[in-house]
Amino acid sequence: AVTRTFSIIKPDATRRNLTGAVTKKLEEAGLRVVASKRIRMSREQAEGFYAVHKERPFFADLVAFMISGPVVVQVLEGEDAVKRNRDIMGATNPANADEGTIRKEYAESIEANSVHGSDSEENAAIEIAYFFKPDEIVG
Ligand code: CMP
């Protein structure tokens, strides 16, 4: 089925002017950008977005990184969008990412790993609603 997922192009990628390069990989993988905006996340926004990780040792660094520069939040649409996006992103740690994936080509480290993608359709709906109003999404 055609579904939606949520994506973030992270500060390490915007800093290196890779917004277009990352988006091209998403489009080539069969995903369509149906909403997109470049924002600087507030600390509160980043902490809320990553609340599920708040007890993890990397939480403080992760939040600091995500507010260290602009990000591009996007809604992606396509056949089986969550899985399709996770496949083209590659493993969280770029050292484990498959050839041809975004993280293999562009990520700097497990933290500065260029992209975020929802891990389930349920979380995709939550994450999309966290950053977008319904009328900002144009399918
Ligand atoms: P993301 O998909 O955005 O979700 C949580 C993020 O935490 C993850 O990508 C990584 O960028 C970041 N992170 C930093 N350190 C770690 C770690 N040791 N294990 C997992 N994720 C980490």
Side-chain angles (χ1 to χ4, degrees), residues 8 10 12 49-50 52-53 56-59 61-63 65-66 86 89 92-93 103 109-119 127:
I8 305 177
K10 295 187 180 186
D12 66 287
F49 183 75
Y50 282 121
V52 52
H53 296 304
R56 307 281 285 273
F58 57 80
F59 180 73
D61 279 354
L62 173 61
V63 169
F65 169 64
M66 292 301 289
R86 292 185 73 76
M89 284 197 299
T92 303
N93 186 344
R103 285 166 170 162
S109 67
I110 193 169
E111 176 176 272
N113 64 356
S114 301
V115 279
H116 165 83
S118 307
D119 63 4
E127 293 176 356

Side-chain angles (χ1 to χ4, degrees), residues 57-125:
F58 57 80
F59 180 73
D61 279 354
L62 173 61
V63 169
F65 169 64
M66 292 301 289
I67 67 175
S68 69
V71 300
V72 179
V73 291
Q74 296 178 318
V75 180
L76 308 176
E77 189 174 89
E79 192 67 34
D80 210 356
V82 169
K83 180 177 188 301
R84 197 175 279 263
N85 185 41
R86 292 185 73 76
D87 287 348
I88 191 60
M89 284 197 299
T92 303
N93 186 344
N96 302 327
D98 287 341
E99 220 46 65
T101 61
I102 293 167
R103 285 166 170 162
K104 176 72 177 188
E105 287 193 20
Y106 300 122
E108 296 180 321
S109 67
I110 193 169
E111 176 176 272
N113 64 356
S114 301
V115 279
H116 165 83
S118 307
D119 63 4
S120 67
E121 289 202 19
E122 189 190 354
N123 283 334

